[in-house]
Amino acid sequence: MVGADGKALQKLLNAGGYGKYLDVDGEYGPMTAQAVYRAKFWLGFKRPDQIAGANLAEYLTGQTRATREMRDLVAKRKKAAKDSAFRKQAVKLARGKIGTVETPVNVQEFGKWYGMNGVPWCAIFVSWCFANAGSKSFARRSRWAYVPYVLNDAHAARNGLTIARAPEAGDLVLFDWDSDGVCDHIGIVEKPSPLVTIEGNTSPTDNSNGGQVMRRTDRASSDIAAFVHVSA
């Protein structure tokens, strides 16, 4: 679709908010192709792609109405996007704190925020990230300053926590260094495969009480007690 038809499509994509200020030049380049995919996704196409096809313009103009199946799919996609927004923000906040160092020992801004400073703070750092990202499960002075409690609630599916079988970015990762069944440390999954985490109170020489916020790429699967999904 090029020329006059391409320009018409680009105008429709821009008007619908899918184009993000496409140049109306009639060229079906990468930005237009991405906008087509975005439109199909949010219009409820079951398998969206970057090919405009014959009927996309009809949906964009309202000439053809979405089916019930398409509307239901859009609702599910909107819910999934809303549910994942705070997890993405938690990762972003954690990433912005990489390099933070406690001073003196166990004293840092996250403990001050939580109201429990001068204590081991990996779970408090996670609480800070999620509470400030809009999670309803995490809050100041509430629930999870102690890592084993996180695993207990996840096993019981309490307070928006569940065990994650296939980890995603924004999930939690719990570590048990000595395999005694008691979790020692917690971080946030930045990337699931290969595993990249962002953790508070760690360092290359002290995994659980190292005093820094760091990105870790060296975690062994044998040390992982569980991945935990935060749904609220």
Side-chain angles (χ1 to χ4, degrees):
M1 185 178 289
V2 295
D5 288 341
K7 289 181 178 180
L9 174 66
Q10 288 166 334
K11 288 180 180 179
L12 288 172
L13 291 168
N14 280 340
Y18 307 112
K20 297 188 182 298
Y21 312 109
L22 290 174
D23 291 332
V24 181
D25 56 9
E27 296 294 328
Y28 201 91
M31 299 301 292
T32 299
Q34 291 173 21
V36 165
Y37 180 93
R38 193 178 299 115
K40 285 188 166 184
F41 184 87
W42 291 114
L43 287 168
F45 282 63
K46 190 173 183 179
R47 295 182 179 85
D49 54 33
Q50 296 185 343
I51 301 171
N55 63 347
L56 177 59
E58 295 177 1
Y59 283 105
L60 288 169
T61 60
Q63 183 179 345
T64 299
R65 295 179 61 84
T67 65
R68 175 62 180 272
E69 182 182 12
M70 292 171 73
R71 294 196 299 272
D72 288 347
L73 189 53
V74 169
K76 289 181 180 178
R77 288 171 176 170
K78 285 182 177 179
K79 184 178 185 302
K82 182 179 179 181
D83 289 346
S84 67
F86 74 86
R87 290 191 293 275
K88 292 179 181 177
Q89 180 64 14
V91 173
K92 182 178 179 181
L93 289 172
R95 192 180 291 130
K97 291 300 181 178
I98 291 173
T100 300
V101 179
E102 64 183 26
T103 179
V105 174
N106 281 330
V107 173
Q108 24 57 48
E109 62 185 284
F110 316 109
K112 181 179 179 181
W113 166 85
Y114 192 84
M116 189 185 295
N117 219 345
V119 299
W121 50 278
C122 60
I124 291 173
F125 170 69
V126 168
S127 293
W128 180 90
C129 292
F130 276 86
N132 284 285
S135 170
K136 297 177 182 178
S137 296
F138 292 81
R140 296 177 66 188
R141 304 181 180 90
S142 177
R143 296 200 179 112
W144 300 305
Y146 181 53
V147 180
Y149 293 164
V150 177
L151 187 60
N152 290 345
D153 278 7
H155 278 305
R158 286 192 299 259
N159 298 315
L161 303 188
T162 54
I163 297 296
R165 305 302 176 189
E168 302 176 355
D171 284 344
L172 310 179
V173 55
L174 282 65
F175 300 97
D176 180 1
W177 308 125
D178 48 11
S179 302
D180 63 354
V182 179
C183 294
D184 304 296
H185 187 63
I186 189 171
I188 300 173
V189 176
E190 183 179 25
K191 182 180 177 183
S193 182
L195 180 63
V196 180
T197 64
I198 302 174
E199 304 166 20
N201 202 17
T202 190
S203 75
T205 57
D206 191 333
N207 283 325
S208 291
N209 201 23
Q212 304 177 46
V213 178
M214 294 187 64
R215 176 181 284 118
R216 303 299 298 260
T217 60
D218 55 347
R219 295 313 194 195
S221 59
S222 58
D223 290 328
I224 296 172
F227 291 102
V228 171
H229 181 72
V230 186
S231 61

